[in-house]
Amino acid sequence: MSGHASAPRPLTSRRTGALRGRVRVPGDKSISHRAFLFGGLASGRTRVTGLLEGEDVLATGRAMRQMGARIERDGEAWVIDGVGNGALLEPEGVLDFGNAGTGSRLTMGLVGTYEFTTTFVGDASLSRRPMARVLDPLREMGVQVLARCKDRLPLSLRGPRIAAPIEYRVPMASAQVKSAVLLAGLNTPGVTTVIEPVMTRDHTEKMLEGFGASVSVETDGAGVRTIRLQGQGELKGVPDFVVPGDPSSAAFLVVAALLVPGSDVVVENALMNPTRTGLVETLREMGADIEIVNPRLSGGEDVADLHVRHSALRGVSVPAARAPSMIDEYPVLAVAAAFAEGTTRMEGLDELRVKESDRLAAVAAGLAANGVAHEEGPDWLTVTGRPDGRGLGGGTVETHLDHRIAMSFLVMGLASEKPVTVDDATMIATSFPEFEGLVTGLGGTLEPATR
Ligand code: S3P
């Protein structure tokens, strides 16, 4: 099933020739999770194309099946027959989310307000991650939480007879928390309100509207967003839902092309929603040659192709305010910074401590193992680069069950003087099963590590 069940598979990347060609990254992970969740909840049929078939997303699909949705693969598409809002069934057995924070937290919101018991389990990484951020607002709505280890998986939820709508100000920049509260509001009478002081990815709001929910968003002069959802309304299947390509997966190929001399790569079909484009903006400030070509609309979202050529990069200061729009991209930005002239400073990184691993610590350790000058603070990181990659590499990186740590350091090894090994590449399948094939198809060298 998920990567945690299989033995670790160490993998090495090494410097070879230029990367060249066109690639199409798989579907966006955030949107794919939501397609299964909302399609499985809505009445009628939803047909999804471009879905990411990564382990995280498939776990969400399995959970929705356990709660009554019919989900079948039909050629290139996924066909979902949903249960209707308010009509999820009590699952038999536990819901196993593997490595997936998004799947587990959004589902806690979706089903938490139902008057039955649901049990959530996950792998070692997910079982270490804080769930209080979602459980606290759910408790305010009347949900009971049973957990042996305080607010960590495994845990069980049981909803009240009738949940209470709340107004909730999200205390950290988190689309997962925003989404969990809104989804809990779907099975709650009255209006559930989420106040979001800092805008995060807006896929939940946009998609709920597309599935027919009554949702409104107001933004004040300071950028604070108030999202109101009318509970217990009807959700209707979307006959033709298209998932755009994942910019967070594109990021690894974009950075690889920038770092490997002579490279010229087109990454097709990347989502360009402004809540997701912080990395492209930052890389361009660093001097990256990234041309945004063929901008178009796909499934109601802006998408484009990214034409990337090897570039000389220089260090920049990345403002904390940009963090929500590139929160998953800091590990690979740190790798890009390792090849830039001068120092890159990244701030506002506190949320990186609670991702699939403590990503700030994991990145710093990976940089240290590969000879990159850096400094780690409580919520910041500086990296001083070596434009030619001389002296870099040669280390083994501990991935801590974190797919993005694995992919980031494999990208480093494509351009560093000495090869880079990651202790385990299995978790890459949670978000980007095609990664190794796409990298080698472009001319990169990845090989089983000899230990
Ligand atoms: C996601 C939100 C982000 C992000 C994650 C996907 C989502 O997490 O890191 O990969 O789909 O809502 P946080 O909400 O914890 O910032």
Side-chain angles (χ1 to χ4, degrees), residues 8-9 15 17 51 119 159 173 205 217 225 241 314 329 423 439:
R9 183 169 60 86
R15 198 185 227 183
L51 187 100
T119 300
E205 305 86 293
V217 183
R225 300 171 81 234
F241 188 88
R314 47 183 185 273
E329 281 65 82
D423 66 355
V439 168

Side-chain angles (χ1 to χ4, degrees), residues 30 34 102 173-176 201 327-328 355:
S30 293
R34 287 160 174 83
T102 305
S174 169
Q176 292 177 1
R201 65 192 68 195
I327 193 65
D328 292 334
K355 295 294 177 190

Side-chain angles (χ1 to χ4, degrees), residues 29-31 33-34 102 105-106 129 133 173-177 179 201 203-204 327-328 351 355-356 359 404:
K29 179 151 76 84
S30 293
I31 294 178
H33 277 298
R34 287 160 174 83
T102 305
R105 291 191 176 124
L106 268 56
R129 297 182 69 182
R133 50 182 56 204
S174 169
Q176 292 177 1
V177 175
S179 303
R201 65 192 68 195
H203 310 309
T204 295
I327 193 65
D328 292 334
E351 279 294 306
K355 295 294 177 190
E356 284 81 333
R359 273 193 187 148
R404 299 200 201 281

Side-chain angles (χ1 to χ4, degrees), residues 294-313:
N294 193 15
R296 56 201 185 271
L297 270 180
S298 172
E301 289 281 4
D302 290 320
V303 302
D305 303 332
L306 304 175
H307 188 173
V308 189
R309 296 177 185 88
H310 169 250
S311 305
L313 302 179

Side-chain angles (χ1 to χ4, degrees), residues 152-396:
R152 297 278 195 279
L153 262 52
L155 60 79
S156 300
L157 301 183
R158 185 173 178 87
R161 208 167 63 74
I162 300 174
I166 57 169
E167 178 176 301
Y168 194 71
R169 194 179 173 89
V170 184
M172 67 290 288
S174 169
Q176 292 177 1
V177 175
K178 162 176 67 179
S179 303
V181 177
L182 289 172
L183 299 190
L186 287 172
N187 187 45
T188 300
V191 176
T192 294
T193 305
V194 174
I195 298 169
E196 189 180 44
V198 180
M199 185 172 183
T200 61
R201 65 192 68 195
D202 58 357
H203 310 309
T204 295
E205 305 86 293
K206 276 184 148 174
M207 287 177 65
L208 278 178
E209 199 180 351
F211 278 85
S214 168
V215 58
S216 69
V217 183
E218 239 176 73
T219 307
D220 73 9
V224 177
R225 300 171 81 234
T226 302
I227 308 160
R228 294 188 181 84
L229 176 96
Q230 176 67 53
Q232 299 185 323
E234 200 191 347
L235 254 62
K236 283 208 174 100
V238 175
D240 179 22
F241 188 88
V242 184
V243 181
D246 196 329
S248 299
S249 296
F252 300 107
L253 305 173
V254 167
V255 171
L258 290 173
L259 299 184
V260 178
S263 295
D264 188 332
V265 171
V266 177
V267 181
E268 293 175 351
N269 192 36
L271 174 67
M272 296 299 284
N273 177 316
T275 64
R276 303 288 300 279
T277 48
L279 178 74
V280 169
E281 187 182 352
T282 302
L283 291 170
R284 284 174 135 189
E285 285 174 8
M286 295 172 82
D289 182 352
I290 303 174
E291 216 184 316
I292 296 168
V293 292
N294 193 15
R296 56 201 185 271
L297 270 180
S298 172
E301 289 281 4
D302 290 320
V303 302
D305 303 332
L306 304 175
H307 188 173
V308 189
R309 296 177 185 88
H310 169 250
S311 305
L313 302 179
R314 47 183 185 273
V316 293
S317 194
V318 189
R322 199 178 293 160
S325 68
M326 54 178 294
I327 193 65
D328 292 334
E329 281 65 82
Y330 284 101
V332 79
L333 175 64
V335 167
F339 294 81
E341 179 81 54
T343 299
T344 296
R345 185 173 175 87
M346 304 162 226
E347 290 171 347
L349 306 187
D350 38 327
E351 279 294 306
L352 289 195
R353 299 255 180 226
V354 291
K355 295 294 177 190
E356 284 81 333
S357 67
D358 174 344
R359 273 193 187 148
L360 197 38
V363 167
L367 295 173
N370 288 289
V372 182
H374 69 284
E375 242 186 287
E376 176 195 354
D379 63 350
W380 54 264
L381 179 71
T382 63
V383 178
T384 302
R386 281 288 192 97
D388 51 7
R390 195 164 312 150
L392 300 187
T396 296

